[in-house]
Amino acid sequence: METPLGGAEFAPSLTYLNTSRCGLLPRRTVAAVTGLTEALAAGTAGGSGSFEAVDGARRGFARVAGVAPDRVAVGSSVAVHVGLVANSLPSGAEVLFVDGDFGSLITPFAVRGDLKARFVPLEDLADAVRPGTALVAFSSVQSADGRVADLAAVREAAAAHGARTLVDTTQSAGWLPMEAGAYDYTVTGGFKFLMCPRGASFLTVTEEAQESLVPIHAGWFAAEDLDDPYGPAARLAGSARRYDEPPAFLAYHGAERSLGLLGEIGVDAVHAHNTALAARFREGLVALGHRPVPGDSAIVAVPDLGARHDELAAAGVVVSARAGNLRAAFHLYNSAADVDRALDVLS
């Protein structure tokens, strides 16, 4: 806990506690993106990028998510993946959400206008699943305050009532061990705790859920045979690749390297590191007379303290203000010294 993980891969110039907004890029990731950029400028890239790098990122995420690579689709944003799922529901279907969850998980359903949306507090989510609930859509970790959902309870309740599950793991993938295959769908933005360039995102789909999920934005890259890009695809990929968006190569050249680093360190080690730092920060906040949101999340939120965001920024401590909360997020490149620096400013 005392020293960062990742060695010389990171060189922040500030006390950076803002991974919930955007993760730092490892040096190897910067090198990969820079290399492709220079090749594209020189005309030596042989195209716009490497599909091998895209599949390397797919495999890297699959290791983090605990699924086979053929259950992973790549894309550009969480909202696009969620839109696929929203499109698959019949008119009048009930979708159960958490009050105050992130908009990219909710808005693709809301814009349809013909679905029944129901919102409940996070702590009531499992008990709120009922007969007739078609889908439970929720974040594993809440963006506004870092609270962790009772994943097992929600999964059990959904199974008992025949509801599908959609979990947004953007605020947890990379530090909280996950079993994506236990849910019908997961969606993940790669630019936070996965430390990928923005433009890389991931969708996991179980084989059963794939049967009813229409690949509405399928392009030639979603075809089983990639050698013939003309005309309609004779056959879509049998794997989750049928849901791929055409990849943003710069983002995926970097994502392959970031996910490789995360695989070398291991999510379990990152989890222990991050949560220990967060616990140290919570203890320090309590000693200063503040009341952080309780729990064992790597994200620490302090209600009604968001106004001190600017003060921290002026002192070189980067955090966020969200929903009135001061929000700090700890990741593998942080250390105990970062925690203590933030506490010093707040004192």
Side-chain angles (χ1 to χ4, degrees), residues 31-50 249-250 253:
V33 174
T34 301
L36 178 56
T37 301
E38 292 175 345
L40 291 170
T44 60
S48 53
S50 165
F249 284 110
L250 286 167
H253 274 238

Side-chain angles (χ1 to χ4, degrees), residues 78-79 81-83 85-86 95-98 101-110 119 135-142 166-169 185-187:
V78 163
H81 297 313
V82 174
V85 180
V95 185
L96 183 61
F97 299 105
V98 172
D101 214 332
F102 200 75
S104 295
L105 183 62
I106 299 169
T107 304
F109 295 96
F119 295 85
L135 179 74
V136 186
F138 66 106
S139 294
S140 51
V141 173
Q142 291 294 299
L166 165 61
V167 186
D168 183 346
T169 68
Y185 318 101
T186 70
V187 293

Side-chain angles (χ1 to χ4, degrees), residues 114-199:
D114 63 345
L115 300 175
K116 298 176 182 176
R118 191 157 56 94
F119 295 85
V120 298
L122 178 64
E123 59 271 19
D124 296 337
L125 185 60
D127 291 337
V129 184
R130 63 190 183 188
T133 300
L135 179 74
V136 186
F138 66 106
S139 294
S140 51
V141 173
Q142 291 294 299
S143 172
D145 57 20
R147 288 178 299 156
V148 181
D150 188 340
L151 294 163
V154 176
R155 187 170 62 240
E156 181 179 345
H161 293 289
R164 290 199 185 278
T165 48
L166 165 61
V167 186
D168 183 346
T169 68
T170 300
Q171 295 289 1
S172 66
W175 71 266
L176 184 67
M178 63 185 291
E179 297 179 9
Y183 309 95
D184 296 285
Y185 318 101
T186 70
V187 293
T188 309
F191 66 100
K192 298 183 188 290
F193 291 92
L194 296 180
M195 306 170 294
C196 301
R198 187 155 189 161

Side-chain angles (χ1 to χ4, degrees), residues 172-268:
S172 66
W175 71 266
L176 184 67
M178 63 185 291
E179 297 179 9
Y183 309 95
D184 296 285
Y185 318 101
T186 70
V187 293
T188 309
F191 66 100
K192 298 183 188 290
F193 291 92
L194 296 180
M195 306 170 294
C196 301
R198 187 155 189 161
S201 63
F202 303 92
L203 164 73
T204 70
V205 187
T206 63
E207 290 190 48
E208 181 183 2
Q210 183 173 311
E211 296 174 3
S212 59
L213 190 65
V214 178
I216 57 174
H217 59 233
W220 75 269
F221 191 56
E224 186 67 44
D225 180 10
L226 298 179
D227 293 330
D228 182 8
Y230 299 105
R235 184 162 62 96
L236 293 178
S239 68
R241 186 168 60 77
R242 64 172 51 199
Y243 305 110
D244 280 7
E245 290 182 77
F249 284 110
L250 286 167
Y252 278 94
H253 274 238
E256 179 187 31
R257 301 296 182 88
S258 293
L259 290 163
L261 174 63
L262 188 57
E264 293 168 17
I265 297 171
V267 173
D268 288 342

Side-chain angles (χ1 to χ4, degrees), residues 5 8 20 46 59 72 87 91 164 175 194 229 235 258 286 338:
L5 305 177
S20 278
R59 291 190 298 271
V72 178
N87 181 74
S91 180
R164 290 199 185 278
W175 71 266
L194 296 180
R235 184 162 62 96
S258 293
V286 171
D338 293 332

